[in-house]
């Protein structure tokens, strides 16, 4: 009976999680629905009123935005034409033509049609004329011209002026920003950049500077060829941020424990300091915000589905240190330049290492020490995986992220550097990561038998026509859950659940297991299946190993990756011992084997 109760309890747990996921999805859909309904109603109203917005191309659409030319247009109206305001449809028409679009204006005589082309001529053509004239004027004060590649590709007039400027030795330097756009290997190829090759061919005495924030050597070589640059220096600033402390922690499975953990950090070592918590979903961000607020922390949430005013308000209050923490989705990114962000906590892992680097990199812009703490939870692998399933290399990128989390022996900086074609040695880390702070030794553990057992469970499920979620697989392994899914004689090792999860993640990365997605009308669900490398186990001699922490008396006290550094620091600051020590006993380390399914890969080459 006890066993049956266990099984029922754990199935209930599984059901709870599914309900939770469906409810999140429901929330999302409801929100979408309300946005769409609003839009549709707006369209109906507008068409009733004879005006309209994005639903068609009528003039009202041009009434919405603040265009860059607004000041100039008004100026010209008042100073040149000596008029106080526009007549109906004049400004709309001017806006359209200034935006470079075509427009037919039907207006009775005397309505003011001519203004609609005279005024733009003053505001734009005149300026271009002036620039063109200045380019060949020996006494001009003009020093810099900003020009789009499109213009160089298409305007003969501009090229002829450049030619004159060059002959007059007034044109000496070319700067190509976002130079990676030249290359089709780059992630942001723009065909017009190809035309820029003409510059060096035509004006060989100029010197060229190419600038970019992201490019592999491959992309740079390609760009060099396209720009017809024969020889060039390449300077690459390091991506290393020496003042950032990187740490991965086990994510507590219980929500309250997890919040407690975070609160302890915020009220402890980050007392009075500013930070960001990144969450997987909008729902997560709202829930975490409420939990933190209930515990007296000044937190605000930020995600894409909020009204622009609310977003601005949160950002502003946080910048002014009225809010200590922003609990956000990845929507919180652009334009964040607060220098004194002392911590960035990842409530769930990012979807790729590049994303993680960028998000965590919002800490410590002032070059003072700041912490980047990532909470690694087994379940998150599959949440993120279902989200990125449609992306080209989404799963591969995610597995690199998982591999980073699983790796608790190698310096975090070394691991991050691999994603940017860089080599940083672990001495350069200066003990600024959890793995470098550890003082433990590792051993290789033979885990072949575990893999065989898991495959037995999956095989049996297949025969029963059952699909196993990761949760069900672990349950069955641990002798829990539906009894028909268990296999006689399969007994999980006596290890904490987190360790079993890490073993399964290890098999997943090594492709002994694989994910299999199922698309319902409401959600994408990830199941685990036997992976392509499982047949290697047909050979009795095949051995799978995993690096584990060596079990000795002394390191039993030292404790895990996650706990070690932070607990030390907390103790110093708070002057007390943490009660969480025992909880995070974790004896496993991922093995040092070379073939972690996620191989190094560059964004630009993807
Ligand atoms: C046209 O653009 C101006 C300047 O950005 C803007 O203020 C105005 O609302 C727009 N007006 C119309 C009628 O489209
Ligand atoms: C370009 O450089 C060469 C060699 O220094 C020089 O002879 C030539 O006059 C220069 N031409 C222009 C337009 O600057
Ligand atoms: C590893 O474990 C498997 C299964 O228990 C066993 O057959 C094999 O001999 C072990 N190999 C080594 C190298 O210990
Ligand atoms: C940890 O990372 C290092 C460096 O990439 C790699 O050699 C090692 O195999 C990794 N360990 C695990 C357990 O993946
Ligand atoms: Zn390190």
């Amino acid at each position: 009976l006890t066993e049956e109760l266990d099984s029922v309890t754990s199935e209930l747990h599984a059901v709870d999680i599914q309900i939770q996921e469906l409810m999140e999805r429901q929330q999302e859909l409801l929100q979408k629905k309300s946005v769409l309904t609003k839009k549709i109603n707006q369209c109906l109203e507008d068409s009733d009123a004879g005006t309209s917005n994005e639903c068609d191309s009528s003039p009202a659409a041009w009434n919405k935005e603040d265009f860059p030319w607004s000041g100039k247009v008004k100026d010209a109206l008042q100073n040149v034409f000596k008029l106080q305001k526009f007549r109906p449809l004049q400004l709309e028409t001017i806006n359209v033509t200034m935006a470079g679009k075509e427009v037919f204006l039907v207006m009775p005589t005397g309505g003011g049609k001519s203004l609609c082309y005279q005024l733009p001529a003053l505001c734009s053509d005149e300026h271009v004329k002036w620039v063109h004239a200045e380019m060949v004027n020996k006494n001009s004060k003009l020093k810099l011209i900003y020009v789009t590649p499109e213009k160089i590709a298409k305007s003969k007039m501009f090229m002829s002026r450049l030619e004159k400027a060059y002959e007059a030795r007034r044109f000496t330097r070319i700067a190509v920003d976002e130079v990676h756009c030249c290359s089709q290997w780059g992630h942001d190829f723009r065909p017009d950049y190809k035309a820029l090759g003409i510059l060096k061919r035509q004006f060989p005495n100029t010197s060229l500077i190419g600038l970019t924030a992201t490019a592999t050597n491959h992309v740079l070589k390609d760009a060099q060829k396209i720009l017809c640059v024969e020889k060039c220096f390449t300077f690459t600033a390091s991506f290393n941020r020496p003042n950032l402390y990187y740490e991965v922690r086990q994510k507590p499975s219980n929500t309250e424990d997890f919040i407690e953990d975070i609160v302890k950090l915020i009220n402890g070592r980050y007392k009075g300091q500013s930070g960001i918590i990144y969450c997987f979903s909008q729902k997560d961000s709202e829930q975490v915000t409420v939990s933190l607020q209930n515990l007296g922390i000044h937190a605000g949430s930020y995600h894409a589905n909020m009204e622009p005013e609310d977003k601005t308000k949160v950002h502003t209050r946080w910048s002014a240190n009225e809010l200590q923490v922003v609990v956000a989705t990845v929507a919180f990114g652009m334009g964040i330049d607060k220098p004194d962000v002392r911590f960035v906590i990842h409530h769930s892992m990012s979807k790729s290492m590049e994303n993680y680097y960028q998000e965590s990199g919002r800490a410590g812009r002032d070059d003072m020490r700041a912490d980047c703490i990532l909470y690694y939870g087994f379940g998150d692998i599959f949440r993120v995986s279902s989200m990125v399933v449609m992306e080209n290399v989404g799963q591969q990128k995610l597995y690199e992220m998982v591999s980073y989390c699983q790796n608790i022996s190698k310096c975090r900086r070394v691991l991050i550097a691999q994603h940017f074609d860089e080599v940083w040695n672990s001495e350069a880390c200066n003990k600024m990561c959890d793995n470098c702070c550890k003082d433990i030794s590792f051993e290789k553990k033979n885990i072949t038998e575990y893999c065989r057992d898991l495959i037995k469970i999956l095989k049996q499920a297949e025969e029963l026509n059952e699909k196993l979620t990761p949760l069900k697989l672990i349950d069955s392994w641990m002798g829990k859950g539906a009894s028909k899914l268990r296999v006689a004689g399969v007994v999980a090792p006596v290890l904490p659940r987190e360790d079993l999860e890490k073993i399964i993640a290890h098999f997943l990365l090594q492709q002994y297991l694989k994910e299999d997605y199922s698309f319902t009308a409401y959600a994408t669900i990830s199941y685990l299946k036997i992976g392509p490398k499982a047949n290697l186990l047909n050979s009795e001699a095949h051995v799978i190993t995993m690096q584990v922490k060596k079990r000795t008396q002394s390191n039993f006290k030292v404790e895990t990756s996650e706990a070690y550094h932070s607990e030390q620091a907390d103790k110093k600051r708070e002057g007390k011992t943490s009660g969480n020590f025992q909880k995070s006993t974790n004896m496993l380390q991922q093995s040092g084997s070379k073939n972690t399914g996620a191989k190094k890969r560059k964004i630009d080459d993807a």
Side-chain angles (χ1 to χ4, degrees):
L1 280 180
T2 325
E3 197 181 321
E4 205 175 330
L5 178 64
D6 268 357
S7 145
V8 168
T9 311
S10 106
E11 196 156 349
L12 263 179
H13 183 58
V15 169
D16 277 344
I17 288 182
Q18 284 171 15
I19 291 179
Q20 165 98 7
E21 281 174 358
L22 284 175
M23 279 173 44
E24 276 177 28
R25 184 67 189 152
Q26 185 188 35
Q27 274 308 318
E28 255 173 53
L29 289 174
L30 281 175
Q31 230 149 12
K32 266 195 195 152
K33 184 178 165 185
S34 101
V35 169
L36 286 174
T37 317
K38 244 190 242 163
K39 267 193 189 161
I40 288 171
N41 287 339
Q42 188 70 44
C43 289
L44 290 178
E45 270 169 35
D46 285 348
S47 61
D48 278 352
T51 58
S52 188
N53 58 2
E54 62 189 19
C55 315
D56 67 27
S57 60
S58 65
W62 291 90
N63 214 333
K64 300 257 142 71
E65 273 168 88
D66 211 6
F67 296 103
W69 51 80
S70 39
K72 238 190 275 169
V73 168
K74 246 212 165 110
D75 241 43
L77 183 75
Q78 288 167 358
N79 299 327
V80 181
F81 292 94
K82 311 281 182 212
L83 295 171
Q84 276 319 299
K85 56 180 199 222
F86 286 108
R87 297 209 205 142
L89 290 184
Q90 280 182 330
L91 188 52
E92 283 87 336
T93 309
I94 289 167
N95 282 353
V96 174
T97 180
M98 292 290 279
K101 300 234 161 64
E102 277 68 48
V103 54
F104 280 6
L105 174 65
V106 182
M107 190 183 259
T109 314
K113 282 193 292 292
S114 52
L115 183 88
C116 295
Y117 57 83
Q118 289 167 347
L119 199 146
L122 270 175
C123 294
S124 48
D125 294 8
E126 281 305 308
H127 182 67
V128 171
K129 264 189 218 154
W130 177 79
V131 172
H132 282 175
E134 288 299 286
M135 282 169 78
V136 293
N137 172 0
K138 279 209 161 61
N139 303 316
S140 173
K141 292 210 166 66
L142 193 64
K143 292 286 185 203
L144 263 177
I145 300 175
Y146 288 84
V147 58
T148 58
E150 290 76 7
K151 181 104 181 166
I152 287 175
K154 291 179 186 127
S155 169
K156 293 209 171 58
M157 171 66 105
F158 184 75
M159 280 304 285
S160 85
R161 293 300 149 121
L162 269 188
E163 182 109 45
K164 290 226 171 68
Y166 180 71
E167 275 154 16
R169 315 249 149 122
R170 291 198 14 90
F171 174 30
T172 52
R173 199 163 285 108
I174 304 164
V176 180
D177 204 359
E178 312 295 352
V179 71
H180 61 275
C181 294
C182 293
S183 168
Q184 304 205 39
W185 303 108
H187 56 82
D188 199 13
F189 170 61
R190 289 176 42 192
D192 280 312
Y193 270 72
K194 283 203 130 170
L196 297 181
I198 190 151
L199 291 175
K200 274 303 284 188
R201 284 201 308 272
Q202 206 62 17
F203 312 119
N205 289 7
T206 55
S207 73
L208 185 144
I209 310 175
L211 309 116
T212 176
T214 60
T216 59
N217 286 332
H218 191 49
V219 167
L220 288 180
K221 278 258 146 51
D222 200 30
Q224 186 185 343
K225 215 166 67 199
I226 287 163
L227 292 174
C228 302
V229 172
E230 266 170 42
K231 267 190 278 178
C232 72
F233 296 94
T234 302
F235 296 155
T236 306
S238 175
F239 279 72
N240 190 11
R241 301 272 311 274
N243 60 317
L244 299 188
Y245 180 85
Y246 293 102
E247 179 181 353
V248 176
R249 294 187 174 203
Q250 174 72 43
K251 183 165 173 170
S253 53
N254 173 308
T255 313
E256 279 104 68
D257 289 351
F258 189 10
I259 290 291
E260 192 186 306
D261 217 48
I262 293 177
V263 168
K264 226 168 61 191
L265 283 172
I266 296 178
N267 284 337
R269 63 164 122 154
Y270 307 125
K271 193 160 186 62
Q273 297 178 343
S274 203
I276 306 173
I277 300 177
Y278 275 110
C279 295
F280 171 72
S281 66
Q282 301 179 351
K283 184 77 186 271
D284 279 2
S285 110
E286 280 167 6
Q287 281 174 343
V288 172
T289 305
V290 170
S291 306
L292 293 180
Q293 284 171 345
N294 287 343
L295 292 166
I297 288 170
H298 296 285
S301 67
Y302 188 109
H303 56 71
N305 233 334
M306 285 162 52
E307 294 296 329
E309 307 88 272
D310 294 336
K311 285 194 225 172
T312 309
K313 203 161 128 195
V314 168
H315 189 179
T316 315
R317 295 188 60 209
W318 178 69
S319 301
N321 292 323
E322 290 165 30
L323 289 177
Q324 185 182 2
V325 197
V326 176
V327 187
T329 62
V330 293
F332 193 55
M334 283 289 190
I336 298 175
D337 47 12
K338 194 174 196 309
D340 60 346
V341 176
R342 293 275 73 80
F343 61 97
V344 170
I345 293 174
H346 273 75
H347 182 270
S348 297
M349 70 183 90
S350 307
K351 67 175 189 171
S352 72
M353 285 301 288
E354 288 82 5
N355 283 72
Y356 182 63
Y357 176 81
Q358 213 168 32
E359 288 151 21
S360 60
R362 304 207 164 103
R365 293 262 162 103
D366 57 4
D367 289 338
M368 309 281 278
R369 187 196 149 114
D371 296 347
C372 306
I373 301 176
L374 186 157
Y375 280 95
Y376 172 44
F378 180 66
D380 288 336
I381 301 174
F382 308 98
R383 291 216 288 169
V384 180
S385 168
S386 309
M387 178 180 74
V388 300
V389 66
M390 295 301 181
E391 290 172 28
N392 221 344
V393 279
Q395 192 191 59
Q396 184 197 337
K397 295 259 160 222
L398 170 63
Y399 285 6
E400 288 169 7
M401 181 82 242
V402 175
S403 181
Y404 172 84
C405 296
Q406 291 259 122
N407 199 325
I408 16 188
S409 53
K410 197 83 183 171
C411 171
R412 299 278 174 216
R413 282 195 156 63
V414 172
L415 294 173
I416 293 171
Q418 293 172 346
H419 289 269
F420 297 102
D421 259 354
E422 287 189 35
V423 180
W424 305 333
N425 49 27
S426 32
E427 292 89 73
C429 181
N430 253 321
K431 296 215 179 229
M432 283 290 280
C433 84
D434 53 356
N435 289 346
C436 285
C437 285
K438 274 181 227 155
D439 186 18
I440 28 176
S441 41
F442 303 98
E443 62 187 346
K444 274 193 179 165
K445 194 176 156 77
N446 180 353
I447 54 166
T448 319
E449 200 56 39
Y450 303 159
C451 195
R452 291 188 193 281
D453 281 350
L454 288 166
I455 284 168
K456 273 183 211 157
I457 296 172
L458 289 168
K459 260 208 182 105
Q460 178 190 271
E462 230 169 71
E463 280 154 17
L464 291 170
N465 243 332
E466 290 272 350
K467 287 179 168 179
L468 295 187
T469 59
L471 187 77
K472 279 193 180 159
L473 179 62
I474 291 199
D475 276 351
S476 166
W477 196 20
M478 294 176 81
K480 295 180 178 177
S483 52
K484 67 169 177 180
L485 296 179
R486 296 181 223 158
V487 173
V490 168
V491 183
V494 188
L495 289 172
R497 192 183 177 104
E498 290 87 56
D499 289 356
L500 301 184
E501 291 173 346
K502 290 205 173 93
I503 292 172
I504 291 183
H506 184 74
F507 291 143
L508 184 62
L509 293 177
Q510 304 259 334
Q511 298 178 38
Y512 292 99
L513 303 179
K514 67 172 184 197
E515 284 183 89
D516 181 51
Y517 304 96
S518 158
F519 302 91
T520 73
Y522 308 104
T524 309
I525 300 170
S526 168
Y527 297 100
L528 285 179
K529 284 215 159 161
I530 298 169
K533 273 173 68 189
N535 57 17
L536 294 177
L537 289 166
N538 292 338
S539 150
E540 281 300 317
H542 188 72
V543 177
I544 311 170
T545 61
M546 183 165 172
Q547 205 171 352
V548 303
K549 183 157 61 169
K550 213 168 187 167
R551 293 199 222 191
T552 65
Q553 207 57 36
S554 67
N555 69 34
F556 204 72
K557 259 192 294 169
V558 170
E559 263 338 300
T560 74
S561 57
E562 326 91 42
Y564 179 66
H565 172 91
S566 45
E567 298 289 348
Q568 300 294 321
D570 286 345
K571 261 190 283 176
K572 254 185 246 154
R573 257 170 271 214
E574 295 161 27
K576 61 172 185 188
T577 338
S578 158
N580 248 357
F581 247 42
Q582 203 70 353
K583 216 178 277 171
S584 35
T585 311
N586 169 1
M587 283 163 290
L588 286 164
Q589 293 288 118
Q590 202 177 325
S591 85
S593 55
K594 285 189 187 68
N595 41 356
T596 35
K599 269 254 146 29
K600 185 174 76 143
R601 177 82 174 242
K602 298 151 228 156
I603 345 172
D604 287 347
D605 290 354

